[in-house]
Amino acid sequence: MTETITVHELAKISRQLILWNQHPAGSYVACPLFSHYGFSWLRDGSFIAYAMDIAGEKDSAGRFYEWVRRVLDRQRDRVEQLLHKHANGETIAQHEFLHTRYHLDGRDDDHSEWGHFQLDGYGAWLWGVAEHWKRTGIDELPESFRSSVELTIRYLCAFWKQPNFDCWEERNDQIHPSTLACIYGGLSSIHRFVHMPEIADVVNDIRLFLLKHCIHPEKKYFVKSIRPAADSNSYDIGFEGVDASLMWLAQPFQVFGVDHAIMNATLAELEARLKSADGGVRRYVGDEYYGGGEWILLTAWYGWIDYSAGQYEQAAESLQWIARQADAWGRLPEQVFHSLASKDTYEQWVHRWGTPATPLLWSHAMYLVLYSQLYG
Ligand code: BGC
């Protein structure tokens, strides 16, 4: 850790690091120095591309979206089969769904130990590509993207209510409000480019679903996850606490504003349970991954929420906290160990996979997003 890197230097380093770690095919590696992260995730990648758009690196963002387009064009038959099975009411196993990450050249990753069925990245890419077109002055859906975009819309509209792994690649038997936020954000952003009638219905249904099923009965905040009940028409609480990814409901996907009562209560709970005294934000209480440390990208998100609520000083504190976590070269990790984390679990993970992923491109991206709010 060093104090010598300024917030401005860290912004330049972040942009450079992301550019250097973009594969010639257009994908962004999640982390170049951590073997389990040597893939490109649609989730990480869409937020990284968004940050690059904001940082003025529109070509880089465009290359990423072209890469996703090619990946999805190759998945067309698979999605058509899934939609066919769905229409016939056939059971679909989780491994049949689209994957969440791909090799950097776009090939399927069939061998990782983590679960693949995650819908959030597909929502995030629709949101990201729509943002990219808006920022680059494109008003109409580029014909070359029609097939991949419409395929993703049909896929999400058919399967949004299926339990799937959350954005941390856990709890695949549950439904996660932050995943629904990504789907909502993706469908609502892409709607100005594609006029499929089902989009408006599903966007509306997701919002109602969140209000009906995902609120803690007594504490009135959005919970981390819910699970289909045995009678299959109702839901039980899957995890009754909050998760920092619930911030996505407000920013950037705007399912609810920060002043919406339930969103407000969710953010208050998040601050009370997940923000540590020194300023970092962890994922959720009981997180075991590397002992449950403070995440750079979530701390940046927290600052982003503060900024959008007019709390500029607090937002700047989050930015400075992040800058203090950079190493001597300005590299940011995925997470840092802190006082509330479990030392034993941290060490078990270090023994298994090595020290936490550094540099994590998504951390650098979210730093750039917050930096551009404050200094852009
Ligand atoms: C995180 C995912 C992320 C992946 C690559 C995992 O540890 O839980 O959210 O997509 O790393 O960065």
Side-chain angles (χ1 to χ4, degrees):
M1 210 185 285
T2 176
E3 306 253 331
T4 58
I5 291 189
T6 68
V7 290
H8 308 296
E9 285 165 345
L10 187 53
K12 277 193 198 138
I13 293 169
S14 294
R15 203 169 63 205
Q16 196 62 60
L17 236 156
I18 293 173
L19 284 175
W20 280 337
N21 286 292
Q22 181 165 26
H23 189 273
S27 56
Y28 296 113
V29 67
C31 175
L33 300 179
F34 191 75
S35 62
H36 294 275
Y37 287 13
F39 300 92
S40 190
W41 271 255
L42 262 58
R43 170 179 45 249
D44 300 37
S46 302
F47 290 116
I48 296 167
Y50 176 70
M52 292 307 263
D53 264 334
I54 287 180
E57 298 288 350
K58 296 195 169 56
D59 289 351
S60 167
R63 285 200 298 280
F64 173 73
Y65 293 121
E66 285 288 345
W67 176 81
V68 179
R69 177 183 68 72
R70 289 194 301 275
V71 165
L72 289 175
D73 282 343
R74 281 202 296 274
Q75 302 292 337
R76 163 162 285 283
D77 290 351
R78 180 182 191 145
V79 177
E80 293 296 354
Q81 272 172 24
L82 289 167
L83 292 170
H84 181 75
K85 279 189 163 186
H86 180 69
N88 290 341
E90 291 175 42
T91 309
I92 306 175
Q94 289 214 336
H95 71 263
E96 295 179 61
F97 286 95
L98 287 181
H99 288 180
T100 189
R101 58 188 168 272
Y102 295 87
H103 283 286
L104 301 179
D105 60 8
R107 279 172 300 129
D108 279 348
D109 158 35
D110 291 317
H111 303 292
S112 292
E113 63 185 83
W114 292 346
H116 261 307
F117 180 33
Q118 299 168 33
L119 291 171
D120 62 327
Y122 289 89
W125 110 266
L126 287 184
W127 162 80
V129 78
E131 285 295 316
H132 175 69
W133 290 332
K134 275 192 251 165
R135 281 175 189 276
T136 45
I138 294 174
D139 299 323
E140 283 183 20
L141 177 71
E143 267 320 300
S144 59
F145 276 83
R146 181 169 299 284
S147 168
S148 53
V149 163
E150 290 185 354
L151 195 73
T152 311
I153 294 171
R154 289 166 60 218
Y155 179 69
L156 291 176
C157 287
F159 297 118
W160 68 270
K161 231 190 270 182
Q162 296 269 334
N164 65 106
F165 284 96
D166 64 19
C167 61
W168 314 130
E169 325 215 289
E170 297 171 341
R171 296 166 210 270
N172 60 330
D173 58 334
Q174 302 184 21
I175 298 171
H176 323 281
S178 60
T179 298
L180 295 179
C182 295
I183 300 173
Y184 176 101
L187 292 176
S188 8
S189 299
I190 208 70
H191 203 187
R192 67 187 271 180
F193 296 98
V194 182
H195 309 292
M196 290 159 68
E198 58 265 50
I199 296 180
D201 294 341
V202 171
V203 161
N204 194 36
D205 288 351
I206 291 177
R207 198 165 186 280
L208 294 176
F209 183 91
L210 284 161
L211 291 170
K212 185 164 180 203
H213 300 293
C214 302
I215 299 175
H216 191 290
E218 289 103 47
K219 298 181 185 153
K220 303 294 177 205
Y221 54 67
F222 291 113
V223 294
K224 173 174 165 62
S225 53
I226 61 166
R227 139 182 329 114
D231 69 13
S232 83
N233 278 326
S234 61
Y235 295 88
D236 297 329
I237 300 290
F239 184 102
E240 67 164 344
V242 289
D243 184 296
S245 63
L246 288 162
M247 289 188 280
W248 306 355
L249 285 164
Q251 198 66 294
F253 301 123
Q254 320 222 342
V255 195
F256 303 101
V258 285
D259 45 1
H260 182 279
I262 308 294
M263 193 68 230
N264 201 271
T266 308
L267 294 172
E269 182 71 7
L270 202 149
E271 178 173 0
R273 307 266 169 206
L274 305 180
K275 188 166 185 248
S276 69
D278 75 318
V281 176
R282 55 194 176 134
R283 300 196 296 185
Y284 59 91
V285 174
D287 182 5
E288 297 205 329
Y289 188 48
Y290 282 95
E294 294 163 341
W295 281 53
I296 305 296
L297 69 96
L298 293 173
T299 308
W301 230 293
Y302 194 85
W304 192 9
I305 296 264
D306 269 341
Y307 187 90
S308 56
Q311 317 268 21
Y312 306 127
E313 272 179 34
Q314 285 95 319
E317 278 167 23
S318 292
L319 192 82
Q320 279 142 16
W321 181 87
I322 296 174
R324 289 199 296 277
Q325 315 309 320
D327 70 12
W329 289 272
R331 295 178 297 202
L332 292 169
E334 178 183 64
Q335 61 169 296
V336 288
F337 188 78
H338 69 109
S339 55
L340 295 174
S342 150
K343 187 97 182 117
D344 284 353
T345 327
Y346 175 82
E347 274 162 9
Q348 280 162 23
W349 275 100
V350 172
H351 183 71
R352 188 169 160 199
W353 280 7
T355 50
T358 309
L360 190 86
L361 267 62
W362 193 8
S363 296
H364 284 279
M366 297 317 297
Y367 178 81
L368 280 176
V369 171
L370 180 57
Y371 177 85
S372 70
Q373 300 281 324
L374 288 160
Y375 296 101

